Amino acid sequence: MQSEANVKERLNLYINGRWVEPVGKGTVKVVNPCSEEAIATIAMGNEEDVDRAVSAAREAFPAWSRTTVAERAALMARISSAMAARQNEIGDTIAAEMGMPAPWSRMIQAGLPIATLNSFVPILENYPFEYDMGRTRIVKEAIGVCGFITPWNYPLHQIIGKVAPALAAGCTMVLKPSQLAPLNAFILAEILEKAGLPPGVFNLVSGAGSRVGQAIASHPEIDMVSLTGSTQSGILVARAAAQTIKRVTLELGGKSPNVLLKDADFPVAVRKGVHQCYLNSGQTCTALSRMIVPAEKQEDVVVLAREAAESMVMGDAFADGVFLGPMVDRQQQQSVRAYIETGIREGATLVTGGPEQPDYLPKGFFVRPTVFSNVRTDMVIAREEIFGPVLCILPYRSEEEAIEIANDSVYGLSGSVWSGDIERARSAAKRIRSGQVFINGADFDIDAPAGGYKQSGIGRERSKYGLEEYLEIKAVIGHNPA
Ligand code: NAD
């Protein structure tokens, strides 16, 4: 078993309760985006590795799906404690592989998955798996073998968002993590093994999306596939899954609006709004990347936003006091810079930031925290997910127009409203077409369902709604012999 914190090579896959040599012979280097140096090498499995993992999951399914709620709840609590015991190591590993500053990474990247696992224990214990509905007995059963394909931005949080409800439901699974930030998934496999999860319930096959991801999405022995990633990958996964009519859940991109109504507390709303846009250097699916403000307040907002953006410290993930890390890789850095250039070309006002490498950080995939004002809804920077520290400020003239701008997007993942009056804010929130809406800077809620309207996805994660994605509904109709 590989268990040292400083392991630099992850060349085996976790299949059927064992670390096995992959059939696929490729490898890929994991690069620290702050130093641009390789920190590990991982195996790149192939389609045959997916076959092996799916067979193991299929074989494990009958016994695992028949375990009792109490057995599964106890195991999940054990897994969560084992994760908590390695919280700092997990946080630092993710900081090194994708660049989120270490204190934030320990708290969010490691803390959230632990909290999510814990949250599913009471959900599982209280869930009505069987009840009568008229003459029919409803039985909720595990859907079967699940395939998980996950991204790099909150890598373990996204993995646990699927693994926790799947374990609770009694499903077995095959995971393909992002090859940009895969090391946390190997740590998870070690934890699951040590916690005594039966062989075959969880299998890890690292590899490319185009091979391992597609093999999972199209596999006839997988009953459900769940992807978190870009809308483009969602389309490819849904298309591949259609051939075998599997259930598909998708957690995709966003371009979330932050509507500041006229009676908002502007200094607080703007400061918090900039923070929520830039968390994880803007590499957050729910980033509030469009700040929609009263036209007559735009100049005040610009001053506040510039101040907030320029006060943020950017640098190495392990340096003191850093809030902004780099982009995950060079490609992402170039893509974000190109969007900033597009915004300038389109005629938006560049308030602060810009496309140049910060002169005090010559190395690393850094992008300057950038604010644009006078952004119009027809501009590319207002329409496309940039996935970097780029805030767009869009002016509105009436509340009606503010809601129209908020909804003028193919996405519908998250949103936010600020107002001095909670009822006014709630009424605006109801009109925003997105899976979540935060009022007056409310904190993230681990117990709230999350997911997208429109092209932001299909299905929900977390809460009892997250569990239900992993259940089939059986109707048993009948009575004692007459
Ligand atoms: P991505 O789509 O490039 O990759 C996500 C995963 O899909 C990776 O494991 C990748 O290898 C795999 N993949 C890529 N092409 C595939 C294919 N053809 N078939 C099967 N699998 C394939 O996304 P990313 O760059 O890793 O993550 C960023 C994106 O994820 C952003 O768009 C972001 O908004 C989105 N995201 C959404 C949520 C959410 O909850 N809605 C959360 C986090 C990230």
PDB file of all heavy atoms in Angstrom, residues 144-167:
ATOM      1  N   GLY A 144     -27.125   1.206  -8.496  1.00  0.00           N
ATOM      2  CA  GLY A 144     -26.207   0.187  -9.028  1.00  0.00           C
ATOM      3  C   GLY A 144     -24.771   0.672  -9.047  1.00  0.00           C
ATOM      4  O   GLY A 144     -24.292   1.271  -8.093  1.00  0.00           O
ATOM      5  N   VAL A 145     -24.092   0.421 -10.173  1.00  0.00           N
ATOM      6  CA  VAL A 145     -22.691   0.832 -10.319  1.00  0.00           C
ATOM      7  C   VAL A 145     -22.666   2.263 -10.875  1.00  0.00           C
ATOM      8  O   VAL A 145     -23.328   2.552 -11.871  1.00  0.00           O
ATOM      9  CB  VAL A 145     -21.943  -0.114 -11.281  1.00  0.00           C
ATOM     10  CG1 VAL A 145     -20.508   0.365 -11.498  1.00  0.00           C
ATOM     11  CG2 VAL A 145     -21.956  -1.543 -10.747  1.00  0.00           C
ATOM     12  N   CYS A 146     -21.901   3.130 -10.219  1.00  0.00           N
ATOM     13  CA  CYS A 146     -21.834   4.532 -10.648  1.00  0.00           C
ATOM     14  C   CYS A 146     -20.444   4.864 -11.172  1.00  0.00           C
ATOM     15  O   CYS A 146     -19.440   4.342 -10.673  1.00  0.00           O
ATOM     16  CB  CYS A 146     -22.121   5.450  -9.464  1.00  0.00           C
ATOM     17  SG  CYS A 146     -23.717   5.138  -8.720  1.00  0.00           S
ATOM     18  N   GLY A 147     -20.399   5.744 -12.156  1.00  0.00           N
ATOM     19  CA  GLY A 147     -19.125   6.239 -12.675  1.00  0.00           C
ATOM     20  C   GLY A 147     -19.004   7.718 -12.363  1.00  0.00           C
ATOM     21  O   GLY A 147     -19.936   8.480 -12.629  1.00  0.00           O
ATOM     22  N   PHE A 148     -17.870   8.116 -11.786  1.00  0.00           N
ATOM     23  CA  PHE A 148     -17.676   9.516 -11.384  1.00  0.00           C
ATOM     24  C   PHE A 148     -16.498  10.136 -12.126  1.00  0.00           C
ATOM     25  O   PHE A 148     -15.393   9.571 -12.148  1.00  0.00           O
ATOM     26  CB  PHE A 148     -17.405   9.603  -9.880  1.00  0.00           C
ATOM     27  CG  PHE A 148     -18.543   9.095  -9.037  1.00  0.00           C
ATOM     28  CD1 PHE A 148     -18.294   8.460  -7.829  1.00  0.00           C
ATOM     29  CD2 PHE A 148     -19.867   9.247  -9.447  1.00  0.00           C
ATOM     30  CE1 PHE A 148     -19.342   7.995  -7.042  1.00  0.00           C
ATOM     31  CE2 PHE A 148     -20.922   8.783  -8.667  1.00  0.00           C
ATOM     32  CZ  PHE A 148     -20.655   8.152  -7.466  1.00  0.00           C
ATOM     33  N   ILE A 149     -16.732  11.307 -12.679  1.00  0.00           N
ATOM     34  CA  ILE A 149     -15.684  12.029 -13.411  1.00  0.00           C
ATOM     35  C   ILE A 149     -15.622  13.424 -12.795  1.00  0.00           C
ATOM     36  O   ILE A 149     -16.635  14.129 -12.760  1.00  0.00           O
ATOM     37  CB  ILE A 149     -16.031  12.102 -14.916  1.00  0.00           C
ATOM     38  CG1 ILE A 149     -16.309  10.695 -15.458  1.00  0.00           C
ATOM     39  CG2 ILE A 149     -14.917  12.784 -15.694  1.00  0.00           C
ATOM     40  CD1 ILE A 149     -16.901  10.678 -16.868  1.00  0.00           C
ATOM     41  N   THR A 150     -14.452  13.809 -12.296  1.00  0.00           N
ATOM     42  CA  THR A 150     -14.404  15.021 -11.453  1.00  0.00           C
ATOM     43  C   THR A 150     -13.310  16.007 -11.893  1.00  0.00           C
ATOM     44  O   THR A 150     -12.339  15.617 -12.541  1.00  0.00           O
ATOM     45  CB  THR A 150     -14.204  14.613  -9.976  1.00  0.00           C
ATOM     46  OG1 THR A 150     -13.045  13.786  -9.877  1.00  0.00           O
ATOM     47  CG2 THR A 150     -15.402  13.875  -9.437  1.00  0.00           C
ATOM     48  N   PRO A 151     -13.464  17.273 -11.504  1.00  0.00           N
ATOM     49  CA  PRO A 151     -12.529  18.331 -11.928  1.00  0.00           C
ATOM     50  C   PRO A 151     -11.431  18.605 -10.896  1.00  0.00           C
ATOM     51  O   PRO A 151     -11.344  17.939  -9.871  1.00  0.00           O
ATOM     52  CB  PRO A 151     -13.456  19.535 -12.054  1.00  0.00           C
ATOM     53  CG  PRO A 151     -14.417  19.351 -10.927  1.00  0.00           C
ATOM     54  CD  PRO A 151     -14.591  17.863 -10.744  1.00  0.00           C
ATOM     55  N   TRP A 152     -10.636  19.640 -11.152  1.00  0.00           N
ATOM     56  CA  TRP A 152      -9.459  19.941 -10.346  1.00  0.00           C
ATOM     57  C   TRP A 152      -9.674  21.105  -9.388  1.00  0.00           C
ATOM     58  O   TRP A 152      -8.851  21.358  -8.530  1.00  0.00           O
ATOM     59  CB  TRP A 152      -8.275  20.300 -11.264  1.00  0.00           C
ATOM     60  CG  TRP A 152      -8.654  21.316 -12.299  1.00  0.00           C
ATOM     61  CD1 TRP A 152      -9.031  21.033 -13.594  1.00  0.00           C
ATOM     62  CD2 TRP A 152      -8.756  22.739 -12.160  1.00  0.00           C
ATOM     63  NE1 TRP A 152      -9.365  22.202 -14.261  1.00  0.00           N
ATOM     64  CE2 TRP A 152      -9.206  23.268 -13.403  1.00  0.00           C
ATOM     65  CE3 TRP A 152      -8.523  23.626 -11.111  1.00  0.00           C
ATOM     66  CZ2 TRP A 152      -9.417  24.632 -13.622  1.00  0.00           C
ATOM     67  CZ3 TRP A 152      -8.737  24.989 -11.318  1.00  0.00           C
ATOM     68  CH2 TRP A 152      -9.175  25.478 -12.569  1.00  0.00           C
ATOM     69  N   ASN A 153     -10.764  21.864  -9.502  1.00  0.00           N
ATOM     70  CA  ASN A 153     -10.807  23.141  -8.775  1.00  0.00           C
ATOM     71  C   ASN A 153     -11.141  22.989  -7.289  1.00  0.00           C
ATOM     72  O   ASN A 153     -10.611  23.700  -6.456  1.00  0.00           O
ATOM     73  CB  ASN A 153     -11.724  24.143  -9.477  1.00  0.00           C
ATOM     74  CG  ASN A 153     -13.137  23.661  -9.624  1.00  0.00           C
ATOM     75  OD1 ASN A 153     -13.401  22.459  -9.663  1.00  0.00           O
ATOM     76  ND2 ASN A 153     -14.076  24.575  -9.707  1.00  0.00           N
ATOM     77  N   TYR A 154     -12.063  22.087  -6.964  1.00  0.00           N
ATOM     78  CA  TYR A 154     -12.292  21.683  -5.565  1.00  0.00           C
ATOM     79  C   TYR A 154     -12.295  20.160  -5.615  1.00  0.00           C
ATOM     80  O   TYR A 154     -13.342  19.523  -5.455  1.00  0.00           O
ATOM     81  CB  TYR A 154     -13.630  22.231  -5.039  1.00  0.00           C
ATOM     82  CG  TYR A 154     -13.620  23.731  -4.880  1.00  0.00           C
ATOM     83  CD1 TYR A 154     -13.974  24.557  -5.932  1.00  0.00           C
ATOM     84  CD2 TYR A 154     -13.214  24.316  -3.682  1.00  0.00           C
ATOM     85  CE1 TYR A 154     -13.939  25.947  -5.807  1.00  0.00           C
ATOM     86  CE2 TYR A 154     -13.179  25.704  -3.543  1.00  0.00           C
ATOM     87  CZ  TYR A 154     -13.537  26.511  -4.604  1.00  0.00           C
ATOM     88  OH  TYR A 154     -13.495  27.878  -4.476  1.00  0.00           O
ATOM     89  N   PRO A 155     -11.127  19.564  -5.885  1.00  0.00           N
ATOM     90  CA  PRO A 155     -11.109  18.174  -6.341  1.00  0.00           C
ATOM     91  C   PRO A 155     -11.757  17.171  -5.385  1.00  0.00           C
ATOM     92  O   PRO A 155     -12.576  16.358  -5.799  1.00  0.00           O
ATOM     93  CB  PRO A 155      -9.625  17.885  -6.557  1.00  0.00           C
ATOM     94  CG  PRO A 155      -8.884  18.952  -5.822  1.00  0.00           C
ATOM     95  CD  PRO A 155      -9.772  20.147  -5.802  1.00  0.00           C
ATOM     96  N   LEU A 156     -11.398  17.252  -4.091  1.00  0.00           N
ATOM     97  CA  LEU A 156     -11.940  16.245  -3.170  1.00  0.00           C
ATOM     98  C   LEU A 156     -13.384  16.568  -2.789  1.00  0.00           C
ATOM     99  O   LEU A 156     -14.200  15.663  -2.581  1.00  0.00           O
ATOM    100  CB  LEU A 156     -11.053  16.147  -1.915  1.00  0.00           C
ATOM    101  CG  LEU A 156     -11.318  14.934  -1.036  1.00  0.00           C
ATOM    102  CD1 LEU A 156     -11.153  13.625  -1.802  1.00  0.00           C
ATOM    103  CD2 LEU A 156     -10.406  14.935   0.183  1.00  0.00           C
ATOM    104  N   HIS A 157     -13.695  17.838  -2.729  1.00  0.00           N
ATOM    105  CA  HIS A 157     -15.076  18.254  -2.445  1.00  0.00           C
ATOM    106  C   HIS A 157     -16.006  17.701  -3.538  1.00  0.00           C
ATOM    107  O   HIS A 157     -17.090  17.186  -3.234  1.00  0.00           O
ATOM    108  CB  HIS A 157     -15.119  19.780  -2.412  1.00  0.00           C
ATOM    109  CG  HIS A 157     -16.476  20.364  -2.198  1.00  0.00           C
ATOM    110  ND1 HIS A 157     -17.263  20.043  -1.118  1.00  0.00           N
ATOM    111  CD2 HIS A 157     -17.187  21.263  -2.926  1.00  0.00           C
ATOM    112  CE1 HIS A 157     -18.400  20.718  -1.189  1.00  0.00           C
ATOM    113  NE2 HIS A 157     -18.383  21.458  -2.280  1.00  0.00           N
ATOM    114  N   GLN A 158     -15.572  17.797  -4.778  1.00  0.00           N
ATOM    115  CA  GLN A 158     -16.410  17.286  -5.881  1.00  0.00           C
ATOM    116  C   GLN A 158     -16.502  15.764  -5.831  1.00  0.00           C
ATOM    117  O   GLN A 158     -17.546  15.184  -6.134  1.00  0.00           O
ATOM    118  CB  GLN A 158     -15.855  17.726  -7.239  1.00  0.00           C
ATOM    119  CG  GLN A 158     -15.658  19.233  -7.389  1.00  0.00           C
ATOM    120  CD  GLN A 158     -16.910  20.037  -7.094  1.00  0.00           C
ATOM    121  OE1 GLN A 158     -17.998  19.499  -7.082  1.00  0.00           O
ATOM    122  NE2 GLN A 158     -16.748  21.319  -6.825  1.00  0.00           N
ATOM    123  N   ILE A 159     -15.413  15.110  -5.467  1.00  0.00           N
ATOM    124  CA  ILE A 159     -15.423  13.642  -5.381  1.00  0.00           C
ATOM    125  C   ILE A 159     -16.377  13.197  -4.272  1.00  0.00           C
ATOM    126  O   ILE A 159     -17.250  12.342  -4.469  1.00  0.00           O
ATOM    127  CB  ILE A 159     -13.990  13.103  -5.119  1.00  0.00           C
ATOM    128  CG1 ILE A 159     -13.118  13.294  -6.366  1.00  0.00           C
ATOM    129  CG2 ILE A 159     -14.025  11.636  -4.691  1.00  0.00           C
ATOM    130  CD1 ILE A 159     -11.637  13.022  -6.140  1.00  0.00           C
ATOM    131  N   ILE A 160     -16.228  13.806  -3.096  1.00  0.00           N
ATOM    132  CA  ILE A 160     -17.053  13.385  -1.956  1.00  0.00           C
ATOM    133  C   ILE A 160     -18.524  13.750  -2.178  1.00  0.00           C
ATOM    134  O   ILE A 160     -19.428  13.057  -1.701  1.00  0.00           O
ATOM    135  CB  ILE A 160     -16.504  13.985  -0.634  1.00  0.00           C
ATOM    136  CG1 ILE A 160     -15.160  13.330  -0.307  1.00  0.00           C
ATOM    137  CG2 ILE A 160     -17.483  13.798   0.524  1.00  0.00           C
ATOM    138  CD1 ILE A 160     -15.200  11.844   0.033  1.00  0.00           C
ATOM    139  N   GLY A 161     -18.764  14.813  -2.948  1.00  0.00           N
ATOM    140  CA  GLY A 161     -20.153  15.163  -3.300  1.00  0.00           C
ATOM    141  C   GLY A 161     -20.866  14.030  -4.013  1.00  0.00           C
ATOM    142  O   GLY A 161     -22.105  13.970  -4.028  1.00  0.00           O
ATOM    143  N   LYS A 162     -20.100  13.124  -4.589  1.00  0.00           N
ATOM    144  CA  LYS A 162     -20.677  11.949  -5.269  1.00  0.00           C
ATOM    145  C   LYS A 162     -20.496  10.681  -4.420  1.00  0.00           C
ATOM    146  O   LYS A 162     -21.420   9.888  -4.262  1.00  0.00           O
ATOM    147  CB  LYS A 162     -20.007  11.761  -6.631  1.00  0.00           C
ATOM    148  CG  LYS A 162     -20.106  13.011  -7.510  1.00  0.00           C
ATOM    149  CD  LYS A 162     -19.350  12.864  -8.813  1.00  0.00           C
ATOM    150  CE  LYS A 162     -19.175  14.194  -9.523  1.00  0.00           C
ATOM    151  NZ  LYS A 162     -20.379  15.019  -9.671  1.00  0.00           N
ATOM    152  N   VAL A 163     -19.266  10.508  -3.886  1.00  0.00           N
ATOM    153  CA  VAL A 163     -18.965   9.268  -3.145  1.00  0.00           C
ATOM    154  C   VAL A 163     -19.848   9.152  -1.895  1.00  0.00           C
ATOM    155  O   VAL A 163     -20.357   8.056  -1.596  1.00  0.00           O
ATOM    156  CB  VAL A 163     -17.465   9.223  -2.766  1.00  0.00           C
ATOM    157  CG1 VAL A 163     -17.178   8.115  -1.755  1.00  0.00           C
ATOM    158  CG2 VAL A 163     -16.605   9.037  -4.016  1.00  0.00           C
ATOM    159  N   ALA A 164     -20.074  10.251  -1.172  1.00  0.00           N
ATOM    160  CA  ALA A 164     -20.828  10.171   0.089  1.00  0.00           C
ATOM    161  C   ALA A 164     -22.268   9.698  -0.151  1.00  0.00           C
ATOM    162  O   ALA A 164     -22.702   8.707   0.460  1.00  0.00           O
ATOM    163  CB  ALA A 164     -20.794  11.505   0.832  1.00  0.00           C
ATOM    164  N   PRO A 165     -23.039  10.344  -1.042  1.00  0.00           N
ATOM    165  CA  PRO A 165     -24.405   9.843  -1.247  1.00  0.00           C
ATOM    166  C   PRO A 165     -24.441   8.457  -1.883  1.00  0.00           C
ATOM    167  O   PRO A 165     -25.354   7.676  -1.606  1.00  0.00           O
ATOM    168  CB  PRO A 165     -25.046  10.897  -2.166  1.00  0.00           C
ATOM    169  CG  PRO A 165     -23.907  11.619  -2.789  1.00  0.00           C
ATOM    170  CD  PRO A 165     -22.795  11.582  -1.799  1.00  0.00           C
ATOM    171  N   ALA A 166     -23.434   8.142  -2.717  1.00  0.00           N
ATOM    172  CA  ALA A 166     -23.418   6.820  -3.346  1.00  0.00           C
ATOM    173  C   ALA A 166     -23.200   5.728  -2.296  1.00  0.00           C
ATOM    174  O   ALA A 166     -23.886   4.699  -2.301  1.00  0.00           O
ATOM    175  CB  ALA A 166     -22.329   6.759  -4.420  1.00  0.00           C
ATOM    176  N   LEU A 167     -22.259   5.975  -1.368  1.00  0.00           N
ATOM    177  CA  LEU A 167     -22.041   5.001  -0.288  1.00  0.00           C
ATOM    178  C   LEU A 167     -23.302   4.875   0.562  1.00  0.00           C
ATOM    179  O   LEU A 167     -23.723   3.769   0.922  1.00  0.00           O
ATOM    180  CB  LEU A 167     -20.883   5.438   0.613  1.00  0.00           C
ATOM    181  CG  LEU A 167     -19.464   5.314   0.058  1.00  0.00           C
ATOM    182  CD1 LEU A 167     -18.468   5.883   1.062  1.00  0.00           C
ATOM    183  CD2 LEU A 167     -19.114   3.868  -0.287  1.00  0.00           C
TER     184      LEU A 167
END
